[in-house]
């Protein structure tokens, strides 16, 4: 366990260092690649491009500018929402969610991904409609050089490790969630329970039952989305979002970024679940 903890910390440290060095030396040369998102939201292309290179690095730069009073919270929120679709798609490509969903479920997997990405699309629309005046962030990014990069990376890593140690200890308790009280088939209950632990595993568990006709498309979508919402509530937000933002920003800022993100997610996921449940019961 301790080796795994130190290994994760080392990966975080290296990724932040690499991202910040890229920000200070190379990024402005490829800003035009991030032009479409930048033009639609007003977020500087340098920050959008950096979000493709490394997720934490642009937030480290934003946190430094926020600390010095160059940026306000609305800048941090707009950047978070503007890059949300990009961030989640890249993550799902890296961990295999997209190929697993499409390969295992075909058109139903595409429908599931569309529902999953609905919240990030809403977040992007909010960023698009939010008009914020940004300072010259290329100059801000160039400030992150030399010893400052190593100090920033060390600070982020230490705070990350503190959260990671707590969550790894909680994992040892082996807490699980049961959906036996819901009016679902045994196959759907199994899928929802597995997806609440790991959404990708839920997809793989549901595919055989779907293709053999033991579970319908709507019920499978409901089970997968229910499991994902529970996963986001008990794992993704506490362990990923809170940990991610709190390792970079002051606690108050980290809490607000997490709360706004969660509000958008629940405002889309809950109506989707309700609609799927009504369709399922009416079938």
């Amino acid at each position: 366990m301790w080796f795994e903890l130190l290994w994760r910390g080392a990966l975080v440290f290296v990724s932040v260092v690499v991202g910040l060095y890229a920000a200070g030396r190379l990024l402005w040369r490829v800003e035009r690649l991030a032009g479409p998102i930048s033009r639609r939201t007003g977020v500087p292309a340098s920050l959008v491009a950096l979000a493709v290179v490394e997720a934490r690095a642009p937030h480290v730069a934003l946190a430094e500018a926020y600390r010095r009073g160059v940026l306000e919270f609305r800048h941090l929120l707009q950047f978070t929402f503007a890059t949300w679709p990009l961030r989640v798609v890249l993550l799902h490509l890296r961990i295999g969610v997209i190929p697993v969903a499409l390969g295992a479920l075909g058109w139903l997997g595409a429908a599931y991904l569309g529902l999953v990405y609905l919240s990030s699309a809403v977040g992007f629309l909010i960023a698009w409609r939010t008009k914020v005046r940004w300072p010259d962030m290329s100059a801000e990014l160039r400030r992150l050089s030399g010893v400052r990069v190593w100090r920033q990376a060390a600070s982020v890593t230490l705070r990350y490790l503190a959260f990671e140690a707590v969550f790894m200890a909680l994992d040892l308790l082996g807490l699980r969630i049961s959906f036996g009280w819901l009016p679902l088939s045994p196959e759907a209950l199994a899928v929802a329970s597995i997806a609440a632990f790991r959404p990708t595993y839920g997809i793989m568990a549901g595919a055989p039952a779907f293709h053999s006709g033991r579970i319908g498309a709507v019920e499978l979508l409901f089970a997968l989305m229910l499991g994902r919402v529970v996963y986001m509530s008990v794992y993704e937000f506490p362990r990923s979002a809170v940990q991610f933002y709190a390792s970079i920003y002051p606690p108050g800022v980290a809490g607000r970024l997490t709360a706004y993100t969660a509000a958008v997610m629940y405002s889309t996921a809950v109506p989707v679940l309700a609609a799927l449940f009504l369709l399922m019961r009416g079938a």
Side-chain angles (χ1 to χ4, degrees), residues 59 75-84 87 245 257 261:
H59 284 283
H75 293 96
L76 312 182
L77 186 64
Q78 189 192 33
F79 170 77
T80 299
F81 280 5
T83 57
W84 191 351
R87 188 171 67 249
Y245 294 127
L257 286 174
T261 303

Side-chain angles (χ1 to χ4, degrees), residues 43-58:
V43 175
S46 55
L47 289 174
V48 178
L50 184 55
V52 178
V53 177
E54 206 283 319
R56 288 181 177 83

Side-chain angles (χ1 to χ4, degrees), residues 1-15 153-154 156-166 168 239 243:
M1 183 180 74
W2 293 110
F3 175 79
E4 183 181 359
L5 181 65
L6 293 175
W7 175 249
R8 291 181 184 179
L11 289 178
V12 170
F13 181 82
V14 171
S15 65
V156 170
T157 302
L158 288 174
R159 286 188 281 177
Y160 167 85
L161 287 174
F163 278 92
E164 189 67 9
V166 172
M168 289 182 71
R239 182 165 188 168
Q243 181 185 37

Side-chain angles (χ1 to χ4, degrees), residues 55 75 78 80 83 97 114 126 132 139-140 176 179 185 192 195 209 248 258-259 264:
H75 293 96
Q78 189 192 33
T80 299
T83 57
V97 174
I126 293 173
V132 178
E140 292 295 323
R176 296 292 182 267
F179 298 102
S185 66
I248 300 171
T258 303
V264 173

Side-chain angles (χ1 to χ4, degrees), residues 58-60 62-63 66 76 159 244-251 253-254 257:
H59 284 283
V60 172
L62 289 170
Y66 179 81
L76 312 182
R159 286 188 281 177
F244 180 91
Y245 294 127
S247 66
I248 300 171
Y249 295 103
V253 174
L257 286 174

Side-chain angles (χ1 to χ4, degrees), residues 97 101 107-117 199 203 221 224-225 228:
V97 174
W107 67 268
L108 189 63
Y112 167 72
L113 291 173
L115 295 178
V116 168
Y117 297 146
I203 296 171
L221 281 178
L224 289 173
M225 288 300 296
R228 178 172 177 80

